[in-house]
Amino acid sequence: MITQKFEYTAPKSLDEALHLLASGAKPLAGGMSLIPMMKLRLAAPEHLVDLRALKDLNYIREAGGQLHIGATASHYEVESSALLRQKCPLLTETAAAIGDVQVRNMGTIGGSVAHADPAADYPAALQALEAKFVLKGAKSERTVSAAEFFVDTFTTALEPGEILREVIVPIDDARTGTSYQKMAQPASGFAIVGVAARVRVNAGKVSFVRIGVTGLSNRAYRATAAEKALEGKTPSPADIQAAAALVAQGVDANSDLHASSDYRRHLAVVHTVRALKTALSRIA
Amino acid sequence: MATTTVKTETFVGKRIRRREDPRLITGTATYVEDIQMPGMHYAVIVRSPHAAARIRSINTKQAEAAPGVVSIFTGKDTKGVGAVPCGVVMPDLRVPQHTILATDRVYFVGHPVAVVVARDRYLARDAADLIEVDYEALPAVADPEKALAKGAPAVHPQWPDNVAFTYHQDGGNVDKAFAEADVVVKQRITSQRLVPMAMETRGVVAEWRGADRQLNLYTSTQIPHLVRTLVAGMLGLEENRMRVIAPEVGGGFGSKLNVYAEEALMGYVSMKIQKPVKWIESRRENFTCTIHGRGHVDYYEVAAKRDGTILGIKLKLIQDVGAYHQLLTPLIPQLSVLMMPGIYNTQNIRADIVGVFTNCVPTDAYRGAGRPEATHGIERMVDLLAAELKMDPAEIRFKNFVTKDNFPYATATGLTYDSGDYAAPLKKALDLVGYVKLRQEQADARKQGKYMGIGISTYGEICAIGPSPATPAGGWESATVKIEPSGKVTIMTGTCPHGQGEETTFAQIAADELGVGLDDILVIRGDTAVVQYGIGTFGSRATAVGGTALYYALQDLKAKVKKFGAMLLESEDVSLVGGQVIDNKSGKSKSFQEIAGAAYRALKLPPNTEPGLMATRFWEPPNFTFPFGAHIVVTDIDGETGQIKIRRYVAVDDCGNILNPLIVDGQVHGGVAQGLGQALWEQAVYDDNGQLITGELMDYAVPRAHLMPWIESHHTCTPSPVNPLGVKGVGEAGTIGCSPAVVNSVVDALSPLGVRHIDMPLTPEKIWKILAAKN
């Protein structure tokens, strides 16, 4: 459990960090995934740039009717943010479900999202929230949607030399309810399956629904078929069940020591029902 | 000058906080890793990535040239070092030569092949990657039943059947019992391989002092004296030239009740390079190279009368040995056989053990060591019998218990249970849990399609290991007590506590006997140069055996204190009360420190009495002790996901007299946590190629605080007649009682679906599959 030799820089500015990244250094945030991989010598970066040294990447604030979360906000900071609890409770609920206390104190939203572990918790919520991701390179900055950001297992829209600077999520009105439901893998705490639901009801009918799923396949995704099935419905338990049944449609489900693909598909349906019901029950 | 506090208050039986805890919880304790020495070198071990392979060649050239590297040793170099010992002698035992480094073949993933020594541990680790081992991979076998099948790869080519040993035991007349039975229930029951997972991995610092011809070996062990004897032998060093120190030991659970290749290897390296050398086991190595526990496949048959009376038990036990025998490997399943009747009155048993070599790390003692497997077996079988006869599981147990007027009770397996009242903890647990009401609630829940289970386990176990004839290395224990000239008390125990709290409980015993305060007492353990020979801490023995040695040493010392007191008081009729010797006639007294001073100053001595105040006792126990108890677990199963929720956990344990209820609570909680680990989450899984696929904490689920239920811990008290303290031992009880209670509860919840048995761990997917198939 001893890493290979590497250089470490605590940059003084974002520009310095981007300059180093452009010349081949790798970004380090909370280190919750990268450091264990380095200790097992499955990863051997020669140079790490510690983004947590950049205090101006650590913020949670409201601006322009949206919520802006800096990349190095820890899971604990998200979980305990009064602003998020009030205006985006789905994110605080999801952060609270990550790993354990130690991981939540060290891990960051930017690190988790950029690592794109297919069983990470945040991506389900960020898919359901249709979050935006601000990606900054040495020369330019661009914003991509969650749909574009999560590409594949451990693969995102980030280009070499770019960092994830900020995550932007919307502020929903009081007619919207949300919930994140997961079954945790008991060793790692990662989601065997996690489902985030975001539902708006207008005049007794579902006027808007977003469902984000993690753990089931190669990347977190939005279950659009299930969403469509529920939109415009009353929603009765039968409607919810029928919609949830579509959550894993067309998905190539993972199978490993902790859960077979059949079980994961089943869990995705169960947790979709639970997430939808809980979300509906939370509408003010 | 320091003075000794005279205390009239007593300590035994009170919830005294552990005196060892402040240094542990403030991170200031000294573990092997914390030891630094001038000139320290660092070792990294190159290990086999194959479960079975021939070593064609090892090229160390590039590594030798790497920065900081001092030496590299391979199996060729260490041929003169003795084999890793197996301490068990039995007929038919096949003992493969277990060299400290592999020579021509490797037998399991993690098998040590070479050691790199460098000035710096990072450089040593880098150089390890430069060693090229040319392996010819061979077929491997990782499953004991597959290893027994015809045509299986031979783990050791000289024994193509992979049988490591067999063992047969018969008691009473089993054939008659089965012939007369109204009913016979049969079940295959597994007890999966587990990783003991001490929080501190193993580690060794070896310091050869050439000029003194002295090897100091710091090692994270439960048995420093046995390590000294055995490792000195492996190295060809005179035993008195070797000093073994177990500094703070961060958990063992049996995994450090052993002698490992690395202990001798570091001694060898230090003697070769003439420098101190440190090796700290990585977590990955701990998974693959430190012994595992359990690894049973058991085939049970129980014969009974229609009224539930158990007539006889048959057991075919397949023990997954792994690639080698470690210190006690073949003994562990024999403990299962000893315990196979549980606490039930049946005199007819038959057991056949077959130990099987596999290309896996060896199995050996892990918390409970053979008794959890046996208890799991008999407690599952009693529930199966109850289900077969449509009897209540509590009722069938009451019917078969050895009754309390039958002690001492001779078992069919050759043991003599010391004392017991087996119905008492079960009655208490049933009351505490509200059994009758719960069964009613369960009936209602079932009508609503809910899965609620009530599981009972009534266990007995073997503690205070043990009488010397029943153990491979001696089962006595030693204690020395010194009263220093200032009156302070120093205890040197031959046990080696590493979390069990004897620095506190032994001080409680001594404080009460001598009438001094706890802070006047220091308990020293774990250093062979300071402490007289001892056996160590394992098998719930430290207090019952080591504490008794201490008790008798204290009696000797008290007699001497009284002699000096009588002399000073010029009286022949004195007693030792509250830290003073009192003249029973005049009421005059001499304080403890006055007497200590006089004994060392020695201006005048009592007749036939030597100066000084010190006593040593080696105590040989006449028998084991046999704690028992009842655990009841109430579970609710999520019918959609298969997840198990433990609603209630009631533990009523009888460990005899309790010296410190706080420490007993801790032992029960920790034991139950590890029992729940086996029941619900943990499994060391090797794939067909012998790769450990649960070789990281990301995949191997040790119990975490947030997964624990509230444990309602209660007791009954049946003192042991085996020792004057009346104690039995409690270190393993929680683990032994736990897993069958959990599985019985879940099987009970699913019994309306016709479920009879589920093997551990009870993962949600396993339960969901059962639900999906039956509904």
Side-chain angles (χ1 to χ4, degrees):
Chain A
M1 308 302 245
I2 291 175
T3 66
Q4 284 175 6
K5 191 174 174 181
F6 60 92
E7 293 291 316
Y8 169 89
T9 303
K12 294 194 172 53
S13 67
L14 186 54
D15 281 347
E16 185 193 351
L18 289 167
H19 174 74
L20 290 168
L21 295 173
S23 52
K26 297 282 175 229
L28 170 71
M32 294 294 91
S33 297
L34 182 56
I35 300 290
M37 281 166 65
M38 288 169 67
K39 286 185 168 183
L40 289 167
R41 300 205 166 198
L42 297 172
E46 288 175 7
H47 190 168
L48 291 182
V49 179
D50 189 349
L51 300 181
R52 279 189 314 172
L54 301 171
K55 297 298 169 213
D56 52 1
L57 278 186
N58 184 356
Y59 52 84
I60 298 170
R61 61 179 168 240
E62 182 178 350
Q66 303 182 105
L67 297 162
H68 301 256
I69 302 149
T72 62
S74 71
H75 308 328
Y76 173 73
E77 285 162 342
V78 171
E79 172 189 0
S80 60
S81 158
L83 176 67
L84 291 179
R85 190 165 299 274
Q86 192 198 343
K87 303 204 166 170
C88 188
L90 179 58
L91 216 47
T92 55
E93 186 182 15
T94 305
I98 297 171
D100 51 34
V101 174
Q102 288 82 355
V103 166
R104 293 199 291 277
N105 277 326
M106 290 294 289
T108 67
I109 188 167
S112 169
V113 168
H115 183 54
D117 189 300
D121 295 294
Y122 274 135
L126 295 174
Q127 285 284 17
L129 289 163
E130 296 173 283
K132 286 177 279 185
F133 298 78
V134 180
L135 315 183
K136 184 150 177 56
K139 292 187 184 134
S140 61
E141 187 172 282
R142 60 192 178 115
T143 301
V144 301
S145 68
E148 297 164 307
F149 184 79
F150 296 106
V151 175
D152 204 339
T153 302
F154 304 128
T155 307
T156 67
L158 281 161
E159 295 291 340
E162 268 185 333
I163 65 153
L164 172 63
R165 186 173 68 75
E166 179 181 273
V167 177
I168 304 169
V169 294
I171 298 171
D172 286 326
D173 61 29
R175 290 167 305 152
T176 310
T178 60
S179 174
Y180 179 63
Q181 299 284 326
K182 80 185 265 200
M183 178 185 276
Q185 197 256 74
S188 68
F190 274 100
I192 288 176
V193 166
V195 179
R198 179 169 163 237
V199 197
R200 201 169 299 148
V201 174
N202 223 337
K205 289 196 172 150
V206 173
S207 60
F208 175 91
V209 55
R210 295 290 178 267
I211 299 168
V213 183
T214 192
L216 186 63
S217 63
N218 61 326
R219 63 179 182 89
Y221 66 93
R222 250 183 66 197
T224 46
E227 291 172 0
K228 279 205 187 89
L230 197 62
E231 237 169 49
K233 295 281 162 56
T234 350
S236 69
D239 290 331
I240 290 170
Q241 191 67 46
L246 302 173
V247 76
Q249 202 180 53
V251 173
D252 190 6
N254 293 333
S255 185
D256 59 27
L257 178 72
H258 303 288
S260 68
S261 53
D262 283 351
Y263 186 50
R264 274 197 166 86
R265 286 174 173 283
H266 169 76
L267 288 178
V269 174
V270 170
H271 286 81
T272 301
V273 170
R274 291 178 181 183
L276 287 168
K277 284 185 175 170
T278 310
L280 286 162
S281 75
R282 285 174 176 171
I283 295 173
Chain B
M1 188 180 153
T3 55
T4 304
T5 332
V6 173
K7 293 263 170 152
T8 48
E9 69 169 306
T10 57
F11 299 99
V12 167
K14 291 188 179 152
R15 297 180 75 85
I16 310 269
R17 285 192 180 188
R18 301 203 318 172
R19 304 163 81 217
E20 41 274 80
D21 283 345
R23 67 173 190 268
L24 298 175
I25 60 180
T26 56
T28 50
T30 304
Y31 296 88
V32 172
E33 168 68 312
D34 298 310
I35 294 165
Q36 291 299 338
M37 289 176 185
M40 183 88 97
H41 281 58
Y42 298 85
V44 167
I45 296 168
V46 177
R47 297 179 182 277
S48 169
H50 299 286
R54 199 168 282 122
I55 299 175
R56 288 205 194 98
S57 64
I58 304 175
N59 183 349
T60 59
K61 279 214 177 77
Q62 242 193 308
E64 278 162 25
V69 172
V70 171
S71 285
I72 292 168
F73 302 100
T74 67
K76 267 188 219 156
D77 302 302
T78 57
K79 270 186 176 154
V81 179
V84 179
C86 170
V88 181
V89 178
M90 55 192 285
D92 301 335
L93 183 66
R94 289 169 171 173
V95 183
Q97 183 73 3
H98 187 179
T99 54
I100 61 170
L101 289 174
T103 52
D104 55 340
R105 275 175 89 111
V106 288
Y107 294 89
F108 65 97
V109 170
H111 198 147
V113 171
V115 58
V116 182
V117 187
R119 283 184 284 102
D120 170 294
R121 66 168 54 158
Y122 290 84
L123 296 177
R125 177 64 188 84
D126 287 345
D129 282 347
L130 301 174
I131 291 183
E132 291 166 11
V133 186
D134 184 9
Y135 293 104
E136 179 194 342
L138 299 168
V141 63
D143 176 288
E145 287 192 296
K146 286 182 187 164
L148 284 177
K150 268 215 165 64
V155 175
H156 297 282
Q158 66 272 37
W159 299 309
D161 60 3
N162 289 320
V163 172
F165 62 92
T166 57
Y167 176 86
H168 176 84
Q169 190 167 352
D170 248 325
N173 192 336
V174 182
D175 293 329
K176 184 164 171 278
F178 276 74
E180 289 171 356
D182 297 325
V183 57
V184 173
V185 286
K186 301 180 184 183
Q187 184 62 46
R188 176 183 186 271
I189 297 172
T190 63
S191 191
Q192 77 273 27
R193 261 184 184 257
L194 300 176
V195 182
M197 201 68 67
M199 199 181 288
E200 182 212 17
T201 59
R202 289 186 295 125
V204 183
V205 168
E207 179 199 22
W208 172 244
R209 297 185 175 195
D212 301 336
R213 197 173 161 68
Q214 164 89 27
L215 179 64
N216 293 334
L217 197 80
Y218 299 77
T219 179
S220 185
T221 185
Q222 301 171 223
I223 48 166
H225 283 94
L226 297 177
V227 167
R228 186 189 69 183
T229 303
L230 294 166
V231 172
M234 291 165 78
L235 294 172
L237 189 65
E238 306 92 310
E239 188 175 0
N240 56 357
R241 294 288 175 180
M242 184 159 167
R243 174 183 183 183
V244 173
I245 299 168
E248 202 76 65
V249 175
F253 312 113
S255 72
K256 295 170 183 174
L257 161 56
N258 230 307
V259 173
Y260 284 99
E262 292 88 352
E263 290 172 318
L265 182 59
M266 290 308 117
Y268 169 87
V269 167
S270 183
M271 289 164 86
K272 281 283 167 194
I273 67 168
Q274 304 272 320
K275 297 276 185 199
V277 63
K278 180 189 280 188
W279 168 74
I280 299 295
E281 186 186 51
S282 71
R283 182 58 64 189
R284 175 76 185 162
E285 287 176 299
N286 185 255
F287 267 102
T288 54
C289 310
T290 290
I291 63 102
H292 289 175
R294 319 286 189 253
H296 272 215
V297 181
D298 295 334
Y299 290 85
Y300 273 95
E301 293 181 40
V302 169
K305 287 203 275 197
R306 180 73 49 204
D307 70 357
T309 305
I310 297 170
L311 299 173
I313 307 165
K314 288 189 208 171
L315 168 62
K316 187 186 160 204
L317 191 169
I318 299 169
Q319 172 70 55
D320 178 357
V321 163
Y324 290 108
H325 300 294
Q326 277 282 347
L327 191 62
L328 301 173
T329 303
L331 181 72
I332 308 305
Q334 293 176 50
L335 290 173
S336 303
V337 168
L338 284 176
M339 215 52 247
M340 70 182 265
I343 53 179
Y344 306 111
N345 182 23
T346 176
Q347 287 294 328
N348 306 306
I349 65 107
R350 176 176 296 153
D352 282 287
I353 306 176
V354 55
V356 186
F357 289 122
T358 56
N359 291 105
C360 304
V361 74
T363 54
D364 204 321
Y366 168 56
R367 202 169 192 166
R371 288 101 84 210
E373 298 91 319
T375 303
H376 196 76
I378 187 66
E379 289 306 294
R380 283 270 50 247
M381 291 310 293
V382 168
D383 260 34
L384 281 162
L385 181 61
E388 180 74 25
L389 296 171
K390 300 194 167 37
M391 283 177 78
D392 183 278
E395 184 195 343
I396 197 164
R397 285 175 168 82
F398 283 124
K399 188 168 194 68
N400 284 288
F401 283 150
V402 173
T403 53
K404 68 175 175 181
D405 48 4
N406 263 315
F407 290 89
Y409 174 82
T411 73
T413 56
L415 297 170
T416 303
Y417 290 171
D418 58 342
S419 62
D421 181 359
Y422 299 149
L426 179 54
K427 275 185 195 143
K428 189 166 177 175
L430 292 168
D431 285 348
L432 283 162
V433 82
Y435 188 67
V436 176
K437 228 173 129 186
L438 274 177
R439 283 286 178 210
Q440 189 51 53
E441 188 187 336
Q442 183 185 44
D444 295 342
R446 281 177 178 168
K447 280 178 204 150
Q448 298 165 39
K450 288 181 182 165
Y451 303 102
M452 169 189 164
I454 306 162
I456 297 172
S457 140
T458 48
Y459 71 91
E461 59 150 332
I462 312 171
C463 282
I465 291 173
S468 293
T471 61
W476 48 268
E477 198 45 86
S478 70
T480 293
V481 190
K482 297 189 288 182
I483 300 173
E484 311 291 1
S486 59
K488 297 290 177 187
V489 179
T490 307
I491 295 167
M492 290 172 292
T493 173
T495 67
C496 191
H498 50 280
Q500 293 81 0
E502 274 87 4
E503 285 179 47
T504 307
T505 43
F506 281 9
Q508 288 175 262
I509 294 170
D512 279 10
E513 289 297 321
L514 298 174
V516 297
L518 291 176
D519 292 340
D520 294 317
I521 300 168
L522 177 70
V523 179
I524 297 176
R525 91 313 167 256
D527 184 341
T528 64
V530 176
V531 179
Q532 71 291 339
Y533 208 93
I535 301 298
T537 289
F538 55 88
S540 301
R541 70 188 305 275
T543 302
V545 189
T548 302
L550 169 64
Y551 174 84
Y552 283 120
L554 285 163
Q555 303 314 310
D556 289 355
L557 200 56
K558 277 163 66 180
K560 196 166 181 185
V561 166
K562 275 164 74 176
K563 275 192 187 174
F564 274 100
M567 178 190 77
L568 294 176
L569 290 163
E570 296 175 341
S571 163
E572 282 174 4
D573 182 15
V574 295
S575 44
L576 177 58
V577 183
Q580 302 182 83
V581 176
I582 298 167
D583 180 348
N584 289 336
K585 286 190 184 119
S586 69
K588 280 186 194 166
S589 64
K590 286 286 171 188
S591 74
F592 199 76
Q593 52 266 55
E594 283 177 284
I595 291 166
Y600 282 92
R601 185 65 186 84
L603 290 173
K604 192 181 167 194
L605 294 170
N608 304 317
T609 304
E610 293 169 358
L613 290 174
M614 178 163 123
T616 299
R617 286 294 287 265
F618 283 62
W619 186 66
E620 169 65 29
N623 191 2
F624 300 103
T625 61
F626 298 89
F628 55 92
H631 289 199
I632 300 184
V633 174
V634 184
T635 54
D636 295 294
I637 293 170
D638 183 328
E640 289 184 314
T641 65
Q643 277 173 306
I644 296 160
K645 187 171 185 298
I646 294 181
R647 190 202 302 183
R648 297 276 306 274
Y649 196 113
V650 174
V652 180
D653 298 290
D654 193 323
C655 56
N657 289 340
I658 290 175
L659 303 184
N660 185 331
L662 190 63
I663 287 177
V664 169
D665 280 355
Q667 286 281 25
V668 171
H669 292 174
V672 168
Q674 285 179 307
L676 288 171
Q678 173 158 27
L680 298 175
W681 305 296
E682 295 183 51
Q683 50 180 337
V685 181
Y686 282 92
D687 68 13
D688 286 340
N689 298 318
Q691 294 290 336
L692 182 63
I693 55 175
T694 53
E696 291 295 337
L697 286 167
M698 292 292 279
D699 287 314
Y700 186 93
V702 284
R704 311 269 201 98
H706 72 275
L707 298 172
M708 285 297 108
W710 185 257
I711 299 162
E712 303 168 47
S713 180
H714 300 267
H715 300 277
T716 57
C717 181
T718 309
S720 173
V722 172
N723 61 66
L725 301 171
V727 298
K728 290 197 169 186
V730 72
E732 298 158 291
T735 309
I736 292 166
C738 176
S739 73
V742 174
V743 176
N744 284 347
S745 183
V746 173
V747 170
D748 180 55
L750 300 176
S751 61
L753 301 175
V755 173
R756 293 176 76 246
H757 177 73
I758 313 170
D759 273 323
M760 302 180 288
L762 305 180
T763 60
E765 179 162 11
K766 219 180 255 182
I767 306 301
W768 170 71
K769 277 185 174 154
I770 291 167
L771 291 166
K774 303 275 181 179
N775 282 334

